[in-house]
Amino acid sequence: MLMNEQDISEIKQLLSNEKNIVIVPHKNPDGDAIGSTLGLLHYLLKTNHKATIIAPNDYPEFLKWLPLEQTILKHDTETNRCNGLIENADIIFTLDFNAFHRTGNMGSVLEKSSAIKIMIDHHQQPDDYAKYMYSDVTMSSTCQMVYHFLDKINALNYLNEDIATCLYVGIMTDTGSFRYRSTTSTTHRIIADLIDKGADNTKIHNNIYDTNSYNRMQLLGVALNNLKVIPESRTAYTFLSQAELQKLDYKKGDTEGFVNYALSLNNIVLAAIFIEDKQNNIIKISLRSKGDFSVNELSRAHFDGGGHTNAAGGKSNTSLESTIEKFISILPLQNSALNDA
Ligand code: 5GP
Ligand code: MN
């Protein structure tokens, strides 16, 4: 769903005078969710709006250096204040998700709000809640879409070092450092412009990827040790139990990227990691694929989740062992698709 000329001129009109604006990323926000909401926040503040980012919950430490990151409110710990802002909002931007349930408990509050909703997102199968929908599954990242959005509303002249830094982060993290299929020559042209506007690419890479704790490296060792391969299904998976996580003092974000080691095995096109979350009584599942095999469809059909063709998430309410058993049991049905991928 691309915005047409009419939508764009209405949005420009809407933003032409001061508004109360709330910007929302999905629950457990990642680099693209935080980068895109912050990039948009910087623009809205520079154009004299009252704007606030409300995240459903906290996010990893490796994102806690981005400009204005410290202003992000968390709905789960500041619920009343956040609900007040949502009720007062004229406009709500929802970024990097396309269904209210992706914001957890915030979903019902967002649904009730009478604010004008603007969606900017690149996931599959969007819900129909937004007056203005900029939804494009071909996009590398929501950060790339925020760049295009600023371009559409003739606001690229506001692109400064802060905005460039935030948008660079999300494009980099959602493309696996510019290597996934969604990375196009346009993505690279935008990245070039962001560097010209002051994004320090080496520093950004170091801040995101080279701040590992010793415990996180040990946890990666455990995940690699648990790695299993099912050659006939070109599949590899690993898992981490709550006990393994606790022993190494697991922090939010520590398991980010672990599933990619499974996918990096020779001749593997489907990879999964199963992470036991006793606190929420679920198994969190991350799925990755190569080529045409859709983990979005696999996750929607079997694991109450979704995402993109090559990267999706999901969950299960049964034990770690039985979740893995279920995964193994559905693979034979996928063998021909996996062998064609
Ligand atoms: P991750 O495995 O990194 O948590 O998520 C991979 C992709 O799938 C991300 O784009 C994320 O937004 C999406 N995703 C993760 N979990 C869920 C989920 O439970 N439901 C849906 N619809 N998408 C998810
Ligand atoms: Mn994204």
Side-chain angles (χ1 to χ4, degrees):
M1 218 83 60
L2 301 179
M3 291 186 304
N4 58 31
E5 289 302 320
Q6 173 82 17
D7 294 337
I8 291 160
S9 91
E10 286 178 22
I11 291 171
K12 277 160 83 171
Q13 181 62 32
L14 264 179
L15 295 176
S16 67
N17 49 49
E18 187 188 309
K19 291 287 188 321
N20 291 318
I21 301 177
V22 165
I23 312 170
V24 184
H26 54 79
K27 194 176 173 186
N28 300 322
D30 58 5
D32 191 33
I34 294 299
S36 61
T37 52
L38 281 171
L40 183 64
L41 178 77
H42 280 277
Y43 163 70
L44 293 172
L45 293 179
K46 273 187 92 68
T47 49
N48 301 316
H49 294 287
K50 292 209 169 71
T52 314
I53 298 173
I54 302 180
N57 63 349
D58 203 6
Y59 40 84
E61 286 296 315
F62 64 73
L63 296 171
K64 294 190 178 174
W65 57 274
L66 279 160
L68 290 184
E69 168 281 316
Q70 65 285 0
T71 69
I72 297 177
L73 301 180
K74 283 124 210 157
H75 189 266
D76 63 346
T77 53
E78 297 165 277
T79 309
N80 289 339
R81 183 177 173 197
C82 290
N83 286 347
L85 285 164
I86 293 170
E87 278 156 28
N88 250 323
D90 305 306
I91 303 172
I92 298 179
F93 280 91
T94 69
L95 265 56
D96 202 35
F97 69 93
N98 60 21
F100 283 145
H101 68 84
R102 294 278 294 126
T103 62
N105 294 335
M106 252 177 102
S108 58
V109 192
L110 292 172
E111 204 156 5
K112 268 189 246 139
S113 132
S114 56
I116 292 174
K117 316 262 177 16
I118 304 178
M119 177 201 293
I120 305 178
D121 178 66
H122 65 139
H123 292 90
Q124 309 226 358
Q125 292 153 268
D127 274 0
D128 186 20
Y129 62 77
K131 173 153 190 207
Y132 301 105
M133 252 171 102
Y134 179 27
S135 165
D136 185 349
V137 299
T138 69
M139 284 286 158
S140 69
S141 54
T142 301
C143 279
Q144 178 171 340
M145 297 177 78
V146 168
Y147 182 98
H148 291 305
F149 177 78
L150 294 178
D151 191 10
K152 284 177 206 288
I153 63 169
N154 294 326
L156 275 185
N157 51 316
Y158 287 94
L159 189 61
N160 59 12
E161 181 180 332
D162 287 341
I163 300 177
T165 301
C166 296
L167 298 185
Y168 190 105
V169 165
I171 299 176
M172 178 184 80
T173 55
D174 258 29
T175 58
S177 299
F178 320 110
R179 57 200 187 95
Y180 299 152
R181 285 206 294 183
S182 57
T183 311
T184 63
S185 59
T186 303
T187 312
H188 281 287
R189 277 187 204 97
I190 291 170
I191 283 294
D193 194 26
L194 298 181
I195 292 172
D196 284 343
K197 296 294 169 357
D200 184 337
N201 50 325
T202 306
K203 183 180 128 196
I204 293 170
H205 198 280
N206 285 342
N207 285 354
I208 299 285
Y209 293 117
D210 295 347
T211 53
N212 283 313
S213 65
Y214 182 78
N215 278 340
R216 179 179 188 252
M217 289 291 94
Q218 298 293 108
L219 193 63
L220 174 60
V222 175
L224 295 178
N225 211 38
N226 290 345
L227 188 62
K228 304 276 183 297
V229 178
I230 305 169
E232 64 277 19
S233 300
R234 300 176 78 195
T235 296
Y237 71 89
T238 185
F239 56 88
L240 288 166
S241 70
Q242 188 74 30
E244 288 167 328
L245 294 162
Q246 261 160 10
K247 196 170 160 214
L248 290 163
D249 193 23
Y250 165 80
K251 300 266 186 325
K252 205 178 238 328
D254 277 354
T255 58
E256 200 98 7
F258 284 9
V259 66
N260 295 322
Y261 288 92
L263 193 64
S264 73
L265 284 165
N266 183 31
N267 204 29
I268 292 301
V269 296
L270 172 61
I273 185 167
F274 301 88
I275 297 171
E276 190 174 29
D277 178 353
K278 279 242 165 87
Q279 201 184 337
N280 295 306
N281 222 354
I282 58 164
I283 309 301
K284 174 78 184 91
I285 306 162
S286 281
L287 297 159
R288 300 291 185 270
S289 67
K290 287 190 171 166
D292 294 331
F293 187 82
S294 172
V295 285
N296 171 55
E297 283 170 27
L298 189 78
S299 188
R300 275 174 201 271
H302 301 285
F303 297 112
D304 188 24
H308 311 280
T309 303
N310 295 133
K315 52 193 164 300
S316 147
N317 295 312
T318 64
S319 70
L320 185 57
E321 290 72 23
S322 64
T323 304
I324 293 172
E325 269 171 33
K326 175 178 166 181
F327 177 71
I328 293 170
S329 75
I330 60 179
L331 287 179
L333 304 167
Q334 313 288 338
N335 272 355
S336 71
L338 289 163
N339 282 296
D340 289 345

